[in-house]
Amino acid sequence: MRVAVVGAGALGLYYGALLQKSGVETHFLLRRDYEAIRCNGLQVYSTTGDFHLPQVNAWRTPAEIGAVDLVLVGLKAFAGTSYQELIAPLLAAGTEILTLQNGLGNEEALAALFGGERILGGVAYLCSNRGEPGVVHHLGAGRIILGEFVRSNPARVEQVAAMFRRAGVDCTTTADLQKARWEKLVWNIPFNGLAALLLQTVDRLLAVAATRTLVRELMLEVIAAANAQGLSREIAPGYADSMIAFTDNMGEYRPSMQIDRAEGRELEIGAIFRNPLGAGLAKGVAMPRVEMLATLLEQVQAGLAFSRS
Amino acid sequence: MRVAVVGAGALGLYYGALLQKSGVETHFLLRRDYEAIRCNGLQVYSTTGDFHLPQVNAWRTPAEIGAVDLVLVGLKAFAGTSYQELIAPLLAAGTEILTLQNGLGNEEALAALFGGERILGGVAYLCSNRGEPGVVHHLGAGRIILGEFVRSNPARVEQVAAMFRRAGVDCTTTADLQKARWEKLVWNIPFNGLAALLLQTVDRLLAVAATRTLVRELMLEVIAAANAQGLSREIAPGYADSMIAFTDNMGEYRPSMQIDRAEGRELEIGAIFRNPLGAGLAKGVAMPRVEMLATLLEQVQAGLAFSRS
């Protein structure tokens, strides 16, 4: 299996490093970390054991990589992301594309460009941050749930999952990718949103009764919208409590959107907020608190754009 | 009429200056502006005409002022505000206390200390900011609506209103002070809250469709809670639109809570948010967006307190 990692942020670097370490031929398309990784390799600091890859296939353009069997997409989910430019040179007839991006709409965007049959999607419950160039910190968790965008060949998903498991990743498959995506949103919407808005780590949000309650209320709105989508099985309200309990164990974790704001980057408001809000509204489910949080984040985003210009 | 202004911020300095200019014997209890006003008097820059008061009765302690006929309270409405220390030395048997503070609960707090009969309340629709010490900027509006906390002597309220009118203030009286307070909250809750949270002026909040909608939704929640309080007449939903139209004329106005945050001061979350939320809840009216905004502001406040310590 020949794999290309496109979007080598904290997620792409971490999973790509594990794949390479397990013997998969892995190629990384890099920008910020190119020089550092070319010179010094890739360093992973992990709660499950640090390791260093001295020799990494690091590239600046997808044409240098050429056709692969699997493209692992870890890009930020922005409207303007140029999938065509970054992914097309990596494709042959049988190439599969796996997006582990956050939110809703990623499989749809990739399918529109490259055809739905080859698209796999997954949600990753991973706590990781980038360090200095060439360094990634794995802070905990890392489970992946994989599914097909168009259900056509379950054996294929199982094969990709097996590759991740051989690399040491807790990876399962699902016949209902949409449900997995919504379950992840139950976490992403309150924690990414509130952490980015207030610039507070998840432990601080959960330590105060009023914000802990707000987290749960946001989660219940997401669950209500999810359950209007015709999922294979409803998400129980208790899922909110289990996600909060899961997060209680994360300590001072900074969700990716908080880091994006702190570093002046664009926020994934479309994929994580506006697309789910649209999907809810299409089924007649309003999410007043989620809507308010999205609106507030868009103002923060506008301020970031303003301060950059 | 002998008047003492306690809490000489933008509001207290502006109305006090107008009263003195109209011939009322006015005394100012000052902290930050004491030296500047003692030395150079008080400068008012106003959309209705600038003026300067070269000689001002400026004091550091209420004991220096002694008993007055009317205490005008323009203090910030905080739980810890020491009304006893600041106001008691100003009281004689017939002294009235007029609070123009924001939010709910101010008359109650003053009545508990000094007796309800002498308490008047008012809401001020005033756009003013402080400048350097000794300077106040009147940016527009200025209307006051006065009422009694315990309805006992309407002629008395009328007398105070007449004093303000002689000073050039558009001042009316109401038999339903509670309604006037809630109507002001229809403005204060969205604009003070969002401006403080996002550090954006009111024109920017209204220029974006999503925040303009959010302002209106917050207003409608406040109106619903107000109308559950047994007011003399219901507040129509259209009141929200008229408040938005009123604010469209304010330009780049920075509400007081935004300034408080920018300057690292405590925010009036209790009076403007938590007391109204409690009053709504007591009548079975939930205000999810107002509640969320209060919770977010409390986190901002906690951050301010943290950065001060």
Side-chain angles (χ1 to χ4, degrees), chain A residues 25 28 34-35 37 51 77 132 156 175 190 223 240 242 251 265 309:
Chain A
E25 181 189 334
F28 295 82
Y34 176 79
E35 292 293 348
I37 289 180
F51 62 95
E132 60 272 37
R156 180 179 64 157
I223 290 171
S242 65
R265 285 196 297 266
S309 67

Side-chain angles (χ1 to χ4, degrees), chain A residues 72-309:
Chain A
L72 197 164
V73 183
L75 295 163
K76 290 285 172 187
F78 301 137
T81 304
S82 50
Y83 293 133
Q84 182 69 43
E85 182 193 333
L86 296 175
I87 295 173
L90 303 168
L91 302 183
T95 305
E96 291 161 4
I97 302 173
L98 167 61
T99 166
L100 293 177
Q101 295 163 287
N102 276 320
L104 297 187
N106 301 306
E107 287 88 3
E108 288 78 357
L110 291 166
L113 288 169
F114 309 118
E117 293 290 327
R118 62 165 97 227
I119 309 298
L120 308 181
V123 297
Y125 289 89
L126 172 70
C127 294
S128 65
N129 293 163
R130 284 204 292 189
E132 60 272 37
V135 175
V136 62
H137 296 273
H138 170 230
L139 309 169
R143 186 166 59 102
I144 294 178
I145 303 160
L146 292 184
E148 291 179 288
F149 177 58
V150 180
R151 291 188 61 192
S152 59
N153 186 357
R156 180 179 64 157
V157 190
E158 189 45 52
Q159 201 181 0
V160 176
M163 177 188 73
F164 276 109
R165 282 195 294 265
R166 280 192 301 272
V169 178
D170 175 7
C171 186
T172 56
T173 64
T174 177
D176 190 350
L177 178 59
Q178 195 191 19
K179 177 162 179 276
R181 287 235 165 262
W182 278 96
E183 286 176 336
K184 179 77 189 287
L185 285 168
V186 173
W187 194 91
N188 269 334
I189 284 179
F191 286 110
N192 271 293
L194 293 174
L197 181 67
L198 297 168
L199 293 173
Q200 292 186 349
T201 48
V202 298
D203 58 322
R204 225 174 124 193
L205 295 171
L206 291 176
V208 175
T211 41
R212 193 177 178 94
T213 299
L214 178 55
V215 164
R216 191 166 183 279
E217 289 167 340
L218 287 162
M219 287 178 165
L220 293 178
E221 289 187 2
V222 179
I223 290 171
N227 288 337
Q229 307 297 319
L231 306 181
S232 56
R233 202 152 54 90
E234 289 215 339
I235 304 173
Y239 188 74
D241 301 300
S242 65
M243 279 290 102
I244 290 172
F246 167 69
T247 313
D248 274 328
N249 290 321
M250 283 191 193
E252 297 182 10
Y253 185 63
R254 295 204 303 162
S256 60
M257 194 178 278
Q258 178 183 359
I259 297 176
D260 288 340
R261 178 181 174 187
E263 300 190 353
R265 285 196 297 266
E266 192 173 343
L267 311 179
E268 296 179 294
I269 300 171
I272 297 180
F273 284 89
R274 287 297 171 191
N275 292 349
L277 279 164
L281 217 56
K283 303 292 183 181
V285 179
M287 298 188 259
R289 294 175 185 85
V290 175
E291 169 89 40
M292 179 165 160
L293 187 49
T295 295
L296 296 171
L297 288 168
E298 281 161 355
Q299 291 304 99
V300 165
Q301 175 70 76
L304 284 177
F306 187 74
S307 68
R308 270 200 301 271
S309 67

